[in-house]
Each structure stands twice: as structure tokens, then as C-alpha cells.
Amino acid sequence: MKKFFIFIFLFSASLLSAQDKIELKSADKLSGRTENGQTIREVSGNVHFVQGNINVYCNSAVQYIDANKAELTGNIRIYQDTLSLFTEKGYYYGNEKMAIGNNGVTLKDPNATLRADDGIYYFNEAKAVFKGDVIIVNPTYRITSKELTYLRYTEDSYCRGNVIVKTDSAIIKAENLDYYKRAGKTFAFINVRVERDSAIIYSDTLTDFAFEKKSIADGNVHIDDMKSKMKAFGNHLENYSDDSYTFISGNAALTKPETEKDTLFIYSNILEAFKKDIEHYIARDSVNIIRGDFLAKSGLAKYYIKHSGENDFVTLTKEPVVWQKEMQMTADSIYAELENNKIKVVYARKISALADSKNSFLLIKSDTLFSDRYNQMKGNNITMYFENDKLGRIDVDSNSTGIYYTYEDNKANGINFIDGEYITLYFDSTQKVTKVLVRKNPVGKYVPENLIHTVDRQLPGFLLRKDRPAKRQMTVSN
């Protein structure tokens, strides 16, 4: 009985060994020799090798019997089930179950077709490693690169060097890229560029979610929205195409041109762009806004593009300040309406519920010839009305107080102090005060020019800000 089991074991091992060997099935010509102790077989004409379920065909071959490998030449075709491999010159290694193709190689299976200058295919792992002008084509995508590793069982591709992925929903370019077709995910690295719908995203790294039409990018981020003409920059970006929503953080910046002169600039730490329905932007933390002569700073800003007709709207909270040429306004909350990119109305409001609530405060340079003379208005609420880019009227209500300078024949002519519950000031085309209305508990005082040095010409809370926003140079990716 013991001898019988030994016989079965040896027979099985011999059978297994025979199955692992490359077997020559047919050839038109055959010759053999021994070289350095190795048995070598040369065959030509309709050559056919078999190893298990792998069939190898070629015009001629040199088979190294002991090493269990074959050097193949001419019209090479290798088949395993639904897999086909084609090349003109290559090798087949039986121990490793590996094929190498040179001078042009093509791999086909039901899911994809790969082509490259050179390639290796590992049959046990169902893995292809191709190099040199690689292209992989599937009904739903196309990838080109310098190098590519393809896993047939999962349809995953790992690409290196000048990678371009084209799908039904996007074009992705990068130096290196990992593409997970079935999961609908792409991880791209170095010099990344993604085109989807009307937007182009540039970054150092990017993760793209094809099914959700979502992209998350990091490092030197730049997005161009070709439809809205918006450009945005930052350290981190999340773009949701179906929702027309973009989130940017870290040194965020946005530009949106209307004309060559009137371009919207928004700078902040966090920036959100909403382009569906009513186009608007929300900026948080260290917000700076520039639009023509309109400048603003705040902790939180909301900017609505063409909300009604031709007018834009901006709301500012968290210590906001607004400048328009020689005007400066501060308040707990500021709301501005811009018509054709020029201020039409500005509302400044005191929010008493805030712990550090402050009065609304307005400064306007009274005359360009007097750099230290500012008309000043202070109260709970201030509303300014503009016409043709010029200030026409100011309404101040609740605890109102003000200072304004007077001029006669373009010469300084003293200063007026006014108090009341409600104050209205009217301005002419030269931005000089022409009329003042004070309602409810009015108090007024005039100080002639020769005595103005005897009075305090600054209301409590006067602060002339020198930190107006400035345009920043943003790096544009190629």
C-alpha cells in the first residue's frame, strides 16, 4: 500500500511538471542542438506552442527546453481564453507564465485594447505592463501615456508620463495618474488639468469622481469657467459640476470680467461660487472685494451677479468697510447695490444685538484741495444714494450726528456741526453739500473758517483706513 501511494505521488508530480513545461504542438521545420549544457530547439513555419490554456503562435522560435522559455519572431499571437496578445518580436517564459513583446505590441480583451512600443503580460496575475506611446481604448474611455500598468480583472490603470484620459464626461491630463474605471475614480498627480462641461481645473494633485461629476484638487489650484468667464485660485478646490457649485479655500481668489475695466475681484480664505439659478459668491475670512471704484473689506461677504436686471448686490458683515473713490463707510452690516458696476445705493446698518455693535460711520473728503478735511456722518443707519457715479443724497437715522465743511467760490468757508434724530444731506455735482435737513431734536453749530482750529473736527470713532484692497498677481497655469 505504501509503495502504491508513493507511485501516485510521483506520477502526479511528473504530470504537473509536464503541464508547466512549454509544449511544442507543431511546426514546419525543427532542429535541435546542445549549447553550454542547455538543450535548444529551433523551429519555423506555423509554429504553435501550448502551456495549459495558453496558446502561442509565431513564424519562428528558439525554444530553451531546460530554461522553459522561448524566443519568438514574426507574427506572434498569444491567446488565453478571451485574451489576445500580438507582437512581432518577443519572449515567452513558461516558469513565470509571462510574455514580452517588443517593436510594437497589442493586447485585446473584451473590456479594452492596449497598444505600445513594448510590453509585458503576466498571465497568472492578469497584469499588463506597457511602455512607449501607450494607448488603451475602451468604449467609454481612452488613455495615452508613456507607461501604463493595466489590471484586467479590475480594469484599473496606473499611468506614468504625459497622461491623457478621455471619457464621456471629462478630459484629464497629468504627469502621473491612477484610473479606476469601475469605481469611477481618478487620482492625478503633477501638472493636472481637468476639462469638464465648461470648466477647466489646474492643480498639483486631483481626485476626480466621474459618476458624481465632482473634482477635488489641491496645490496651486486654478479653475477657468469658460461659460461665466470666472477664474478662481486657491490651495484647495472642490468642484461639483451638476450643482454648478465650487468651493475654494486657502488664499482664495476670484476674478470675473464684465468689461476690460470693470472686473470683479474677490480675495478671501474661503470662497464659494454658486452658478445655478442666481449666480452669487460667498467669501469668508479676510475678505477683499474690488469692482471698479468699489472696494470693500469684511469677515463675510455675499456677492450676487445681476440679481435683478443689470444690478449686482453685495452684503458685508463682520467689521465691514467700503470705499468708493474719496468715500469710506464702516458699520456692523453694509449692503450695496451696483448698477452697471457702479454704486447705486449703499445701506449701512447698526446691529444692536451684536456684543461689540458700533454706529455706522461715513467719511467723505470734502474737497481734493484739502487733504485733511472730511465730511463725517454717524448714526445707527446710513443710506447713500448715487447718480451717475456721484453721491446725490445721504440719509442718517437714529442718534444722528455729523460734520461737514462749507465752501464759497471754491474757497473754504468754515465748518458745520449737526445733531438730530434724522439727518439728510444733499450734494451737487462737485460733491459739495448744498442742503441739510435735520428732523426731530435738531441742533446745529457753525464755526467760521478763521476759528476752525479751535474745535475738534473729528467725531468720536473717526478712523481713516489706509488698507484699501489692491489687486493681486495670480499665477495662471498653462
PDB file of all heavy atoms in Angstrom, residues 182-205:
ATOM      1  N   ARG A 182     -14.082  51.065 -12.922  1.00  0.00           N
ATOM      2  CA  ARG A 182     -15.330  50.569 -12.357  1.00  0.00           C
ATOM      3  C   ARG A 182     -15.787  51.398 -11.162  1.00  0.00           C
ATOM      4  O   ARG A 182     -16.986  51.554 -10.934  1.00  0.00           O
ATOM      5  CB  ARG A 182     -15.177  49.097 -11.962  1.00  0.00           C
ATOM      6  CG  ARG A 182     -14.926  48.195 -13.150  1.00  0.00           C
ATOM      7  CD  ARG A 182     -14.797  46.732 -12.755  1.00  0.00           C
ATOM      8  NE  ARG A 182     -14.438  45.896 -13.903  1.00  0.00           N
ATOM      9  CZ  ARG A 182     -14.209  44.603 -13.828  1.00  0.00           C
ATOM     10  NH1 ARG A 182     -14.306  43.962 -12.662  1.00  0.00           N
ATOM     11  NH2 ARG A 182     -13.885  43.921 -14.914  1.00  0.00           N
ATOM     12  N   ALA A 183     -14.856  51.927 -10.400  1.00  0.00           N
ATOM     13  CA  ALA A 183     -15.203  52.773  -9.257  1.00  0.00           C
ATOM     14  C   ALA A 183     -15.510  54.201  -9.684  1.00  0.00           C
ATOM     15  O   ALA A 183     -16.058  54.991  -8.908  1.00  0.00           O
ATOM     16  CB  ALA A 183     -14.067  52.769  -8.238  1.00  0.00           C
ATOM     17  N   GLY A 184     -15.158  54.551 -10.926  1.00  0.00           N
ATOM     18  CA  GLY A 184     -15.397  55.906 -11.402  1.00  0.00           C
ATOM     19  C   GLY A 184     -14.516  56.935 -10.730  1.00  0.00           C
ATOM     20  O   GLY A 184     -14.904  58.093 -10.577  1.00  0.00           O
ATOM     21  N   LYS A 185     -13.286  56.537 -10.356  1.00  0.00           N
ATOM     22  CA  LYS A 185     -12.379  57.457  -9.657  1.00  0.00           C
ATOM     23  C   LYS A 185     -11.063  57.581 -10.410  1.00  0.00           C
ATOM     24  O   LYS A 185     -10.564  56.608 -10.986  1.00  0.00           O
ATOM     25  CB  LYS A 185     -12.098  56.965  -8.242  1.00  0.00           C
ATOM     26  CG  LYS A 185     -13.283  57.019  -7.302  1.00  0.00           C
ATOM     27  CD  LYS A 185     -12.887  56.567  -5.903  1.00  0.00           C
ATOM     28  CE  LYS A 185     -14.073  56.583  -4.948  1.00  0.00           C
ATOM     29  NZ  LYS A 185     -13.690  56.143  -3.585  1.00  0.00           N
ATOM     30  N   THR A 186     -10.508  58.788 -10.364  1.00  0.00           N
ATOM     31  CA  THR A 186      -9.205  59.052 -10.962  1.00  0.00           C
ATOM     32  C   THR A 186      -8.369  59.852  -9.976  1.00  0.00           C
ATOM     33  O   THR A 186      -8.844  60.855  -9.425  1.00  0.00           O
ATOM     34  CB  THR A 186      -9.339  59.837 -12.273  1.00  0.00           C
ATOM     35  OG1 THR A 186     -10.150  59.090 -13.189  1.00  0.00           O
ATOM     36  CG2 THR A 186      -7.980  60.090 -12.892  1.00  0.00           C
ATOM     37  N   PHE A 187      -7.137  59.415  -9.754  1.00  0.00           N
ATOM     38  CA  PHE A 187      -6.198  60.157  -8.918  1.00  0.00           C
ATOM     39  C   PHE A 187      -5.074  60.650  -9.825  1.00  0.00           C
ATOM     40  O   PHE A 187      -4.356  59.850 -10.425  1.00  0.00           O
ATOM     41  CB  PHE A 187      -5.634  59.261  -7.810  1.00  0.00           C
ATOM     42  CG  PHE A 187      -6.685  58.725  -6.875  1.00  0.00           C
ATOM     43  CD1 PHE A 187      -7.257  57.481  -7.099  1.00  0.00           C
ATOM     44  CD2 PHE A 187      -7.113  59.463  -5.782  1.00  0.00           C
ATOM     45  CE1 PHE A 187      -8.229  56.972  -6.250  1.00  0.00           C
ATOM     46  CE2 PHE A 187      -8.090  58.968  -4.932  1.00  0.00           C
ATOM     47  CZ  PHE A 187      -8.651  57.728  -5.160  1.00  0.00           C
ATOM     48  N   ALA A 188      -4.939  61.972  -9.925  1.00  0.00           N
ATOM     49  CA  ALA A 188      -3.960  62.563 -10.834  1.00  0.00           C
ATOM     50  C   ALA A 188      -2.929  63.370 -10.040  1.00  0.00           C
ATOM     51  O   ALA A 188      -3.258  64.014  -9.040  1.00  0.00           O
ATOM     52  CB  ALA A 188      -4.665  63.471 -11.839  1.00  0.00           C
ATOM     53  N   PHE A 189      -1.667  63.341 -10.543  1.00  0.00           N
ATOM     54  CA  PHE A 189      -0.577  63.980  -9.825  1.00  0.00           C
ATOM     55  C   PHE A 189       0.328  64.733 -10.804  1.00  0.00           C
ATOM     56  O   PHE A 189       0.630  64.236 -11.886  1.00  0.00           O
ATOM     57  CB  PHE A 189       0.272  62.933  -9.086  1.00  0.00           C
ATOM     58  CG  PHE A 189      -0.527  61.934  -8.297  1.00  0.00           C
ATOM     59  CD1 PHE A 189      -0.953  60.741  -8.874  1.00  0.00           C
ATOM     60  CD2 PHE A 189      -0.871  62.182  -6.977  1.00  0.00           C
ATOM     61  CE1 PHE A 189      -1.684  59.813  -8.158  1.00  0.00           C
ATOM     62  CE2 PHE A 189      -1.613  61.265  -6.258  1.00  0.00           C
ATOM     63  CZ  PHE A 189      -2.019  60.085  -6.843  1.00  0.00           C
ATOM     64  N   ILE A 190       0.734  65.906 -10.403  1.00  0.00           N
ATOM     65  CA  ILE A 190       1.715  66.750 -11.100  1.00  0.00           C
ATOM     66  C   ILE A 190       1.136  67.312 -12.410  1.00  0.00           C
ATOM     67  O   ILE A 190       0.756  66.568 -13.312  1.00  0.00           O
ATOM     68  CB  ILE A 190       3.038  66.004 -11.391  1.00  0.00           C
ATOM     69  CG1 ILE A 190       3.599  65.373 -10.106  1.00  0.00           C
ATOM     70  CG2 ILE A 190       4.064  66.934 -12.004  1.00  0.00           C
ATOM     71  CD1 ILE A 190       4.847  64.529 -10.333  1.00  0.00           C
ATOM     72  N   ASN A 191       1.090  68.665 -12.460  1.00  0.00           N
ATOM     73  CA  ASN A 191       0.613  69.369 -13.661  1.00  0.00           C
ATOM     74  C   ASN A 191      -0.738  68.850 -14.138  1.00  0.00           C
ATOM     75  O   ASN A 191      -0.922  68.494 -15.306  1.00  0.00           O
ATOM     76  CB  ASN A 191       1.640  69.263 -14.790  1.00  0.00           C
ATOM     77  CG  ASN A 191       2.967  69.882 -14.434  1.00  0.00           C
ATOM     78  OD1 ASN A 191       3.035  70.861 -13.690  1.00  0.00           O
ATOM     79  ND2 ASN A 191       4.051  69.311 -14.937  1.00  0.00           N
ATOM     80  N   VAL A 192      -1.684  68.834 -13.218  1.00  0.00           N
ATOM     81  CA  VAL A 192      -3.006  68.265 -13.523  1.00  0.00           C
ATOM     82  C   VAL A 192      -3.881  69.296 -14.243  1.00  0.00           C
ATOM     83  O   VAL A 192      -3.881  70.475 -13.897  1.00  0.00           O
ATOM     84  CB  VAL A 192      -3.696  67.801 -12.231  1.00  0.00           C
ATOM     85  CG1 VAL A 192      -5.058  67.189 -12.551  1.00  0.00           C
ATOM     86  CG2 VAL A 192      -2.821  66.803 -11.479  1.00  0.00           C
ATOM     87  N   ARG A 193      -4.622  68.797 -15.205  1.00  0.00           N
ATOM     88  CA  ARG A 193      -5.609  69.628 -15.923  1.00  0.00           C
ATOM     89  C   ARG A 193      -6.838  68.765 -16.188  1.00  0.00           C
ATOM     90  O   ARG A 193      -6.726  67.663 -16.741  1.00  0.00           O
ATOM     91  CB  ARG A 193      -5.026  70.141 -17.242  1.00  0.00           C
ATOM     92  CG  ARG A 193      -6.048  70.860 -18.148  1.00  0.00           C
ATOM     93  CD  ARG A 193      -5.431  71.136 -19.495  1.00  0.00           C
ATOM     94  NE  ARG A 193      -6.433  71.555 -20.467  1.00  0.00           N
ATOM     95  CZ  ARG A 193      -6.478  72.750 -21.027  1.00  0.00           C
ATOM     96  NH1 ARG A 193      -5.569  73.654 -20.725  1.00  0.00           N
ATOM     97  NH2 ARG A 193      -7.419  73.039 -21.920  1.00  0.00           N
ATOM     98  N   VAL A 194      -8.005  69.283 -15.798  1.00  0.00           N
ATOM     99  CA  VAL A 194      -9.267  68.559 -15.997  1.00  0.00           C
ATOM    100  C   VAL A 194     -10.245  69.465 -16.741  1.00  0.00           C
ATOM    101  O   VAL A 194     -10.487  70.593 -16.315  1.00  0.00           O
ATOM    102  CB  VAL A 194      -9.890  68.115 -14.656  1.00  0.00           C
ATOM    103  CG1 VAL A 194     -11.225  67.428 -14.908  1.00  0.00           C
ATOM    104  CG2 VAL A 194      -8.955  67.168 -13.926  1.00  0.00           C
ATOM    105  N   GLU A 195     -10.806  68.966 -17.828  1.00  0.00           N
ATOM    106  CA  GLU A 195     -11.843  69.690 -18.575  1.00  0.00           C
ATOM    107  C   GLU A 195     -13.153  68.937 -18.411  1.00  0.00           C
ATOM    108  O   GLU A 195     -13.242  67.756 -18.741  1.00  0.00           O
ATOM    109  CB  GLU A 195     -11.468  69.773 -20.055  1.00  0.00           C
ATOM    110  CG  GLU A 195     -10.173  70.506 -20.334  1.00  0.00           C
ATOM    111  CD  GLU A 195      -9.838  70.510 -21.815  1.00  0.00           C
ATOM    112  OE1 GLU A 195     -10.782  70.533 -22.635  1.00  0.00           O
ATOM    113  OE2 GLU A 195      -8.642  70.470 -22.151  1.00  0.00           O
ATOM    114  N   ARG A 196     -14.143  69.617 -17.866  1.00  0.00           N
ATOM    115  CA  ARG A 196     -15.473  69.015 -17.730  1.00  0.00           C
ATOM    116  C   ARG A 196     -16.514  70.093 -17.961  1.00  0.00           C
ATOM    117  O   ARG A 196     -16.456  71.165 -17.359  1.00  0.00           O
ATOM    118  CB  ARG A 196     -15.659  68.374 -16.359  1.00  0.00           C
ATOM    119  CG  ARG A 196     -17.102  67.908 -16.137  1.00  0.00           C
ATOM    120  CD  ARG A 196     -17.298  67.157 -14.843  1.00  0.00           C
ATOM    121  NE  ARG A 196     -16.792  65.790 -14.953  1.00  0.00           N
ATOM    122  CZ  ARG A 196     -15.898  65.257 -14.142  1.00  0.00           C
ATOM    123  NH1 ARG A 196     -15.386  65.982 -13.161  1.00  0.00           N
ATOM    124  NH2 ARG A 196     -15.496  64.023 -14.297  1.00  0.00           N
ATOM    125  N   ASP A 197     -17.484  69.792 -18.808  1.00  0.00           N
ATOM    126  CA  ASP A 197     -18.517  70.771 -19.168  1.00  0.00           C
ATOM    127  C   ASP A 197     -17.831  72.049 -19.633  1.00  0.00           C
ATOM    128  O   ASP A 197     -17.047  72.017 -20.562  1.00  0.00           O
ATOM    129  CB  ASP A 197     -19.461  70.996 -17.992  1.00  0.00           C
ATOM    130  CG  ASP A 197     -20.200  69.721 -17.592  1.00  0.00           C
ATOM    131  OD1 ASP A 197     -20.442  68.886 -18.493  1.00  0.00           O
ATOM    132  OD2 ASP A 197     -20.505  69.547 -16.404  1.00  0.00           O
ATOM    133  N   SER A 198     -18.068  73.169 -18.971  1.00  0.00           N
ATOM    134  CA  SER A 198     -17.477  74.431 -19.409  1.00  0.00           C
ATOM    135  C   SER A 198     -16.324  74.874 -18.516  1.00  0.00           C
ATOM    136  O   SER A 198     -15.827  75.991 -18.646  1.00  0.00           O
ATOM    137  CB  SER A 198     -18.547  75.531 -19.419  1.00  0.00           C
ATOM    138  OG  SER A 198     -19.036  75.762 -18.104  1.00  0.00           O
ATOM    139  N   ALA A 199     -15.856  73.999 -17.621  1.00  0.00           N
ATOM    140  CA  ALA A 199     -14.820  74.379 -16.661  1.00  0.00           C
ATOM    141  C   ALA A 199     -13.524  73.612 -16.898  1.00  0.00           C
ATOM    142  O   ALA A 199     -13.536  72.444 -17.289  1.00  0.00           O
ATOM    143  CB  ALA A 199     -15.301  74.154 -15.233  1.00  0.00           C
ATOM    144  N   ILE A 200     -12.399  74.289 -16.655  1.00  0.00           N
ATOM    145  CA  ILE A 200     -11.076  73.677 -16.706  1.00  0.00           C
ATOM    146  C   ILE A 200     -10.412  73.896 -15.352  1.00  0.00           C
ATOM    147  O   ILE A 200     -10.340  75.018 -14.863  1.00  0.00           O
ATOM    148  CB  ILE A 200     -10.204  74.280 -17.818  1.00  0.00           C
ATOM    149  CG1 ILE A 200     -10.894  74.161 -19.174  1.00  0.00           C
ATOM    150  CG2 ILE A 200      -8.846  73.596 -17.860  1.00  0.00           C
ATOM    151  CD1 ILE A 200     -10.142  74.856 -20.295  1.00  0.00           C
ATOM    152  N   ILE A 201      -9.923  72.816 -14.743  1.00  0.00           N
ATOM    153  CA  ILE A 201      -9.272  72.884 -13.447  1.00  0.00           C
ATOM    154  C   ILE A 201      -7.802  72.523 -13.606  1.00  0.00           C
ATOM    155  O   ILE A 201      -7.458  71.541 -14.266  1.00  0.00           O
ATOM    156  CB  ILE A 201      -9.927  71.923 -12.433  1.00  0.00           C
ATOM    157  CG1 ILE A 201     -11.404  72.267 -12.240  1.00  0.00           C
ATOM    158  CG2 ILE A 201      -9.196  71.956 -11.095  1.00  0.00           C
ATOM    159  CD1 ILE A 201     -12.153  71.264 -11.384  1.00  0.00           C
ATOM    160  N   TYR A 202      -6.933  73.327 -12.974  1.00  0.00           N
ATOM    161  CA  TYR A 202      -5.498  73.044 -12.938  1.00  0.00           C
ATOM    162  C   TYR A 202      -5.096  72.869 -11.468  1.00  0.00           C
ATOM    163  O   TYR A 202      -5.596  73.573 -10.595  1.00  0.00           O
ATOM    164  CB  TYR A 202      -4.690  74.193 -13.528  1.00  0.00           C
ATOM    165  CG  TYR A 202      -5.104  74.621 -14.921  1.00  0.00           C
ATOM    166  CD1 TYR A 202      -6.130  75.537 -15.118  1.00  0.00           C
ATOM    167  CD2 TYR A 202      -4.442  74.135 -16.047  1.00  0.00           C
ATOM    168  CE1 TYR A 202      -6.503  75.948 -16.395  1.00  0.00           C
ATOM    169  CE2 TYR A 202      -4.804  74.538 -17.327  1.00  0.00           C
ATOM    170  CZ  TYR A 202      -5.836  75.451 -17.494  1.00  0.00           C
ATOM    171  OH  TYR A 202      -6.189  75.853 -18.747  1.00  0.00           O
ATOM    172  N   SER A 203      -4.164  71.956 -11.196  1.00  0.00           N
ATOM    173  CA  SER A 203      -3.711  71.772  -9.817  1.00  0.00           C
ATOM    174  C   SER A 203      -2.474  70.888  -9.784  1.00  0.00           C
ATOM    175  O   SER A 203      -2.053  70.337 -10.806  1.00  0.00           O
ATOM    176  CB  SER A 203      -4.820  71.136  -8.967  1.00  0.00           C
ATOM    177  OG  SER A 203      -5.108  69.821  -9.438  1.00  0.00           O
ATOM    178  N   ASP A 204      -1.909  70.751  -8.581  1.00  0.00           N
ATOM    179  CA  ASP A 204      -0.790  69.815  -8.391  1.00  0.00           C
ATOM    180  C   ASP A 204      -1.301  68.381  -8.298  1.00  0.00           C
ATOM    181  O   ASP A 204      -0.714  67.460  -8.863  1.00  0.00           O
ATOM    182  CB  ASP A 204      -0.005  70.171  -7.127  1.00  0.00           C
ATOM    183  CG  ASP A 204       0.745  71.493  -7.263  1.00  0.00           C
ATOM    184  OD1 ASP A 204       0.961  71.930  -8.406  1.00  0.00           O
ATOM    185  OD2 ASP A 204       1.097  72.092  -6.225  1.00  0.00           O
ATOM    186  N   THR A 205      -2.376  68.177  -7.536  1.00  0.00           N
ATOM    187  CA  THR A 205      -2.989  66.856  -7.407  1.00  0.00           C
ATOM    188  C   THR A 205      -4.498  66.995  -7.522  1.00  0.00           C
ATOM    189  O   THR A 205      -5.052  68.063  -7.209  1.00  0.00           O
ATOM    190  CB  THR A 205      -2.647  66.186  -6.061  1.00  0.00           C
ATOM    191  OG1 THR A 205      -3.202  66.969  -4.993  1.00  0.00           O
ATOM    192  CG2 THR A 205      -1.144  66.081  -5.876  1.00  0.00           C
TER     193      THR A 205
END
